[in-house]
Amino acid sequence: MIPQQETDAAIEAAIREAEDHTSAEIRVFITRHAPDAARASEEAARHFQRLTMPRPPMRNAVLLYVAPASSQVAVAADEAVCFQLGKRFFNSIQRAAAPHLPHDAPRAILEALRATARPLARRFPRSSFDRDNLPNAVLRD
């Protein structure tokens, strides 16, 4: 078992790496609860609003909500991401993480971040005036 501090550091580094190539903001929330798919989506949306994720000016924030105990990954995103990338984007993130849950949650999250980063970088490339508006720290309940 990898210590939580090392796991969080690896996830935070992956978030920084992803955000180096996009103007989008990415956050990760890991829950100890075991929601089903519908409840995970509701919780992702609730946390997205609670964390004031829709702050970036381009409306391109993404929250990965991960529930290793029930093998769920839900994605909540700002309106520009939903409009530009849609359901296919969300499904690709879930497919990237699924083979690794519940037995290797850190790898599942890193794969989900990779699946998140590529389309965001293509659709919302980073520009010289972009800055990191939200913290990269892993969130947990």
Side-chain angles (χ1 to χ4, degrees):
M1 181 89 169
I2 301 170
Q4 180 176 319
Q5 188 175 2
E6 287 180 38
T7 300
D8 287 1
I11 293 167
E12 290 164 12
I15 293 169
R16 277 191 303 279
E17 168 67 23
E19 289 181 348
D20 282 346
H21 303 286
T22 182
S23 62
E25 293 287 339
I26 304 167
R27 301 209 63 194
V28 173
F29 187 97
I30 303 170
T31 184
R32 67 187 186 303
H33 301 290
D36 62 17
R39 184 74 180 145
S41 292
E42 291 169 7
E43 286 298 306
R46 186 176 72 79
H47 285 292
F48 187 88
Q49 291 302 319
R50 184 182 66 79
L51 295 166
T52 61
M53 291 287 294
R55 277 197 300 199
M58 294 183 68
R59 309 295 288 183
N60 59 355
V62 174
L63 174 69
L64 302 180
Y65 178 87
V66 184
S70 58
S71 299
Q72 296 297 321
V73 175
V75 182
D78 231 331
E79 55 200 38
V81 175
C82 293
F83 179 75
Q84 295 285 327
L85 298 172
K87 197 83 162 151
R88 197 171 176 188
F89 171 64
F90 295 177
N91 292 339
S92 70
I93 295 167
Q94 291 168 328
R95 278 193 313 274
H100 309 291
L101 287 172
H103 60 279
D104 192 353
R107 183 165 180 205
I109 295 166
L110 293 174
E111 293 300 325
L113 282 167
R114 285 185 193 99
T116 303
R118 286 183 225 109
L120 289 176
R122 279 194 305 272
R123 194 60 74 165
F124 304 102
R126 187 166 185 88
S127 68
S128 59
F129 61 86
D130 283 327
R131 62 184 176 129
D132 201 357
N133 294 315
L134 298 172
N136 296 330
V138 174
L139 303 159
R140 294 177 183 270
D141 60 7

